[in-house]
Amino acid sequence: NPLLDLSDLEAPYAPSAADAKEEGPLNELLVGLLGASGLPAMDKNPLTGQASSDPYAKLKVGTRVRCSSVKEKDTEPCWYERLRIPADELSTLLEVDFMDDDPPEDGKKPRSRPSSPESLPDRNSPRDGADGADEEDEEDEEDRQGPADLMGRVRIALAPLKSRQPKRAWYQLEDLKGLKGQNGRVELILKWVHNPSLVGEPLALDPEETEDGLADVAINDLRKFGNRLPNELHVTVVRALHLPALGNPQKKGRPKLPPGAPPSSDPFVRLTVPG
């Protein structure tokens, strides 16, 4: 079955002149989800007394989320699924949570997650990388599913993948307290690549921000102000990563959160130029 063939993910990165399009900045993480072993049994059949789980994998890089299909009643699942998740060069961590799928609660939408690899290419095809698409992924994960129990998780640093070479390995899963041993392990293929389809059009500049415009401004400033020294610094704050959670989720004035919600923060930036 060609859908189960992930051999291309393990192909060494060897760029050539013909592959110049692959030389752009890293912007997508390819994940081959092969299988897991020793996952905990989360559900017990009251009639037979047998315990099992319905596992699926939830991948997260920053705010971007992708999910695998669900393997019903299987604690030794095999997926051989390919997932793609946007990840630029500032990304530092891949989080993989293994969840036990439960029936949706009343009022919840049924799961749309595929149950077999045949439907995966459409769901996991390259996305345009727009923030809106990722917000929809988050909503799909939160709104479509009923309660899901965490079976185990692994956090993988992305820095070793900057060489663009693939990595295939088994990873031990941790519990919520970060302890290893009873939560099983997972086999993954990871490869960080440049996907040209995720590169958006450059932002249009105002006329005065172009090279010619800046040159005209410089000439006009020289005529107007002579050789006076610069006296203003323009700064654009783009984004921040991995800020500490310092606030109380139940703090007065914050939107009401569910009991036990983790702490967060309301960051702002203060710029100071000494002197």
Side-chain angles (χ1 to χ4, degrees):
N1 186 342
L3 291 175
L4 301 180
D5 183 8
L6 304 180
S7 58
D8 60 302
L9 291 184
E10 296 187 89
Y13 176 67
S16 64
D19 297 325
K21 65 180 182 180
E22 298 181 7
E23 287 297 309
L26 298 168
N27 63 0
E28 185 176 55
L29 184 65
L30 305 183
V31 180
L33 176 61
L34 302 180
S37 177
L39 296 180
M42 309 292 288
D43 304 318
K44 186 174 182 179
N45 189 316
L47 298 178
T48 65
Q50 294 181 339
S52 188
S53 296
D54 302 317
Y56 69 92
K58 176 181 175 182
L59 282 64
K60 185 174 181 181
V61 175
T63 60
R64 282 96 185 272
V65 176
R66 297 292 184 267
C67 293
S68 74
S69 63
V70 177
K71 296 298 182 182
E72 296 182 358
K73 297 179 175 57
D74 196 347
T75 57
E76 302 284 333
C78 289
W79 276 278
Y80 277 81
E81 292 181 12
R82 179 194 310 265
L83 298 106
R84 301 170 179 268
I85 184 166
D88 62 24
E89 291 182 309
L90 294 179
S91 303
T92 60
L93 195 68
L94 167 67
E95 300 180 34
V96 185
D97 287 355
F98 282 86
M99 313 297 293
D100 176 39
D101 185 42
D102 289 327
E105 297 174 340
D106 293 340
K108 294 284 187 178
K109 302 175 185 177
R111 289 191 185 277
S112 61
R113 199 169 287 110
S115 58
S116 63
E118 282 75 6
S119 58
L120 283 173
D122 290 335
R123 179 173 177 83
N124 296 303
S125 58
R127 303 295 290 271
D128 58 10
D131 291 339
D134 294 309
E135 289 172 2
E136 290 176 4
D137 266 351
E138 292 275 17
E139 291 174 2
D140 176 74
E141 177 61 22
E142 298 298 330
D143 296 340
R144 288 183 177 273
Q145 65 183 2
D149 300 320
L150 178 68
M151 307 173 70
R153 65 163 44 124
V154 61
R155 294 180 173 92
I156 303 171
L158 296 182
L161 301 174
K162 286 189 175 182
S163 65
R164 307 189 186 214
Q165 298 297 340
K167 180 179 181 180
R168 178 172 180 168
W170 283 91
Y171 297 90
Q172 191 73 38
L173 301 181
E174 302 175 345
D175 61 15
L176 282 171
K177 297 180 180 179
L179 301 177
K180 300 179 180 180
Q182 302 297 323
N183 296 79
R185 57 186 189 143
V186 59
E187 187 178 17
L188 301 172
I189 303 173
L190 303 175
K191 193 173 186 179
W192 207 355
V193 301
H194 172 72
N195 184 347
S197 68
L198 295 183
V199 179
E201 293 294 328
L203 296 176
L205 297 175
D206 293 332
E208 62 270 16
E209 294 178 317
T210 63
E211 290 187 10
D212 292 340
L214 290 174
D216 292 340
V217 169
I219 293 173
N220 291 334
D221 285 351
L222 183 62
R223 292 171 179 170
K224 186 175 181 179
F225 302 110
N227 291 323
R228 296 180 186 178
L229 296 175
N231 62 0
E232 186 177 61
L233 178 66
H234 291 190
V235 178
T236 300
V237 179
V238 180
R239 68 167 176 170
L241 295 171
H242 310 302
L243 296 179
L246 301 177
N248 185 338
Q250 306 302 335
K251 183 179 177 182
K252 185 178 180 180
R254 284 175 174 256
K256 189 174 181 181
L257 298 177
S264 185
S265 297
D266 298 320
F268 67 92
V269 177
R270 175 183 295 164
L271 304 177
T272 302
V273 178

